[in-house]
Amino acid sequence: MASDQLFRLIKSLSKNEKVYIKRNAAFHTFKGQKNKYIKLFDALEKMELYDEKILSKQFAKDSFLSTLPAARNYLFNVILRNLESYHSTVRSEIRSCLNQAEILFEKGLTDQCGKIIARAELLAQKYDLYNEMHNILSWKMNLSTPETKYKDYAGSLKAFEIQINENLRNLQQISDDEIEMKMIGGRCSFLGQARGETEVLELENLVAELEAKKSKMPSSLTSTFFHYHKLTTLYHALNKPMKELMYSKKKIELFNNHLHLIEVPPFQYLFPAELERSFSLELTLGYYDQLQESFESLMTQCTSNKSYKKLMQLSLYHLKFRTCMQIGKFELALKHAPRITELFQEI
């Protein structure tokens, strides 16, 4: 039901998200008073199951909240805006820069507008964000100072054309990679590991095609990651754990050499997942001497990457739990379980 969407959203919030939302709400109230919408928030938070009759009865005498559909819709949007602010990302920073640039442009402050666009461009280049780069290049082209000679002007436009086309090629490659990855992932999820010569041959042909295409692909970090990711998935379906581990390690090496990647989705989630995959494969293959290295790598990220420290810690305790379960240390595994639950609630 549409009426329980707000209830489900509130129930999905972490402890830290709730604190952030309520703290912001306090800025918009008089001292000693309570934001009326937070009253609705608290009432929904306390419910085990959504019951509109209880809400209607509870707020029947409150004229501000008596029209529940309007109040629910308002609070839903307030929560979303707060979550957007709380979970600020590189992408949101770039979009904020573009919004600021538009405001400054309308005010005639083109010099400052250009500085903000330059800041957005550096971020987009660093994180391979080609969608955002297209808008940035359009701004740069329109902000460029007209040349006094037509030849120079035409030359500067040609330079922009080269940049835009290169960006579009990278964007097209990423789109193609995402579709191909979905197709490969879907095939392997629905059909599982290859059974019989026909299925083995089908997947081996896909591997050969990927390797053949690699030399013709743009060499962006994102396209390189997707290339390794597709091969990892295919080798898993072919039941070739050594090959799967090899490409998993290549992805981890790529991340370790470009740690800024894990500040943006989907890499912020894929990096700890890849460490878990690698660890699991090492455990399966009996590469016990490499397990400590995987643990240490994850521990390093837990302490050095402040933005996603909780996520990394969750992965670390998850690995500890799985390891204990696999080697039969069930009592020790149970000691790790509460910490996993605690971290999961905090994220």
Side-chain angles (χ1 to χ4, degrees):
M1 291 175 60
S3 57
D4 73 344
Q5 295 298 311
L6 174 61
F7 171 76
R8 291 164 59 191
L9 176 61
I10 290 173
K11 288 297 183 181
S12 74
L13 299 174
S14 69
K15 180 181 178 181
N16 289 339
E17 287 171 337
K18 291 175 184 176
V19 169
Y20 182 83
I21 291 166
K22 291 184 179 183
R23 186 180 65 199
N24 282 350
F27 293 143
H28 304 287
T29 57
F30 292 108
K31 188 175 181 180
Q33 294 183 340
K34 189 172 185 179
N35 186 302
K36 293 188 177 182
Y37 287 105
I38 293 302
K39 291 181 182 179
L40 177 58
F41 184 106
D42 290 340
L44 287 165
E45 186 182 10
K46 291 174 184 176
M47 282 185 169
E48 292 298 326
L49 296 172
Y50 181 73
D51 192 326
E52 188 151 346
K53 291 181 180 179
I54 293 176
L55 282 180
S56 297
K57 185 177 180 180
Q58 183 174 346
F59 296 111
K61 296 180 180 180
D62 193 327
S63 60
F64 198 59
L65 294 172
S66 59
T67 310
L68 272 175
R72 281 199 311 262
N73 185 59
Y74 180 85
L75 180 55
F76 189 91
N77 289 320
V78 166
I79 292 172
L80 279 184
R81 285 195 295 270
N82 276 278
L83 288 176
E84 185 178 8
S85 174
Y86 181 78
H87 295 284
S88 180
T89 65
V90 173
R91 282 189 175 90
S92 64
E93 186 176 350
I94 290 173
R95 290 163 190 166
S96 177
C97 284
L98 294 178
N99 287 336
Q100 291 172 23
E102 187 172 350
I103 293 167
L104 291 169
F105 183 79
E106 289 176 356
K107 300 293 184 183
L109 302 172
T110 53
D111 288 347
Q112 191 60 34
C113 176
K115 291 177 182 178
I116 290 178
I117 291 295
R119 177 184 167 202
E121 183 179 18
L122 287 173
L123 287 170
Q125 288 174 338
K126 181 178 179 180
Y127 295 97
D128 275 5
L129 300 177
Y130 300 109
N131 272 318
E132 284 74 13
M133 182 61 79
H134 184 74
N135 291 329
I136 291 166
L137 290 173
S138 294
W139 267 105
K140 281 186 65 180
M141 183 168 60
N142 290 315
L143 285 171
S144 62
T145 305
E147 303 288 347
T148 54
K149 295 180 181 179
Y150 174 73
K151 185 178 180 181
D152 295 334
Y153 176 67
S156 64
L157 287 181
K158 186 66 178 177
F160 278 119
E161 181 185 19
I162 292 171
Q163 277 187 286
I164 290 169
N165 287 336
E166 177 64 22
N167 185 71
L168 288 173
R169 279 193 293 272
N170 280 306
L171 186 57
Q172 183 64 57
Q173 180 61 56
I174 290 173
S175 298
D176 292 344
D177 280 332
E178 288 178 339
I179 292 170
E180 190 172 36
M181 185 63 242
K182 289 289 185 183
M183 293 292 288
I184 290 172
R187 184 258 170 245
C188 295
S189 295
F190 284 110
L191 300 180
Q193 292 191 322
R195 296 181 296 274
E197 292 183 8
T198 303
E199 289 188 7
V200 169
L201 183 61
E202 173 202 350
L203 295 185
E204 286 182 340
N205 285 337
L206 282 174
V207 169
E209 288 173 15
L210 283 174
E211 293 291 14
K213 286 195 299 186
K214 173 60 181 170
S215 60
K216 301 175 184 178
M217 290 165 48
S219 57
S220 70
L221 296 174
T222 305
S223 64
T224 301
F225 168 82
F226 273 121
H227 178 69
Y228 295 152
H229 201 48
K230 285 180 276 190
L231 287 169
T232 305
T233 305
L234 287 171
Y235 280 124
H236 176 75
L238 284 165
N239 195 25
K240 294 185 176 181
M242 291 181 69
K243 283 282 191 178
E244 184 184 355
L245 178 60
M246 181 181 79
Y247 280 102
S248 179
K249 289 288 189 182
K250 284 181 177 288
K251 281 186 279 183
I252 291 170
E253 183 181 4
L254 183 70
F255 283 130
N256 283 329
N257 290 335
H258 305 89
L259 284 174
H260 63 276
L261 281 179
I262 62 177
E263 296 175 30
V264 295
F267 302 119
Q268 70 187 72
Y269 311 112
L270 290 172
F271 180 59
E274 206 56 51
L275 286 169
E276 287 195 44
R277 180 206 290 265
S278 177
F279 182 87
S280 181
L281 286 166
E282 288 166 350
L283 198 61
T284 300
L285 292 167
Y287 294 167
Y288 302 118
D289 58 327
Q290 296 181 27
L291 293 177
Q292 186 61 33
E293 182 183 338
S294 296
F295 266 127
E296 288 175 358
S297 180
L298 195 49
M299 279 295 292
T300 300
Q301 294 311 312
C302 285
T303 54
S304 66
N305 194 314
K306 295 180 181 179
S307 301
Y308 302 103
K309 186 177 178 181
K310 296 292 184 185
L311 186 63
M312 297 296 179
Q313 287 180 339
L314 179 61
S315 295
L316 179 64
Y317 277 94
H318 186 214
L319 284 181
K320 289 181 177 180
F321 177 81
R322 287 174 55 193
T323 305
C324 292
M325 290 294 290
Q326 191 156 340
I327 62 178
K329 293 186 177 181
F330 304 119
E331 290 186 4
L332 185 57
L334 288 174
K335 290 182 179 179
H336 294 313
R339 184 58 178 150
I340 294 172
T341 304
E342 181 185 337
L343 286 166
F344 185 76
Q345 291 173 343
E346 292 175 2
I347 292 176

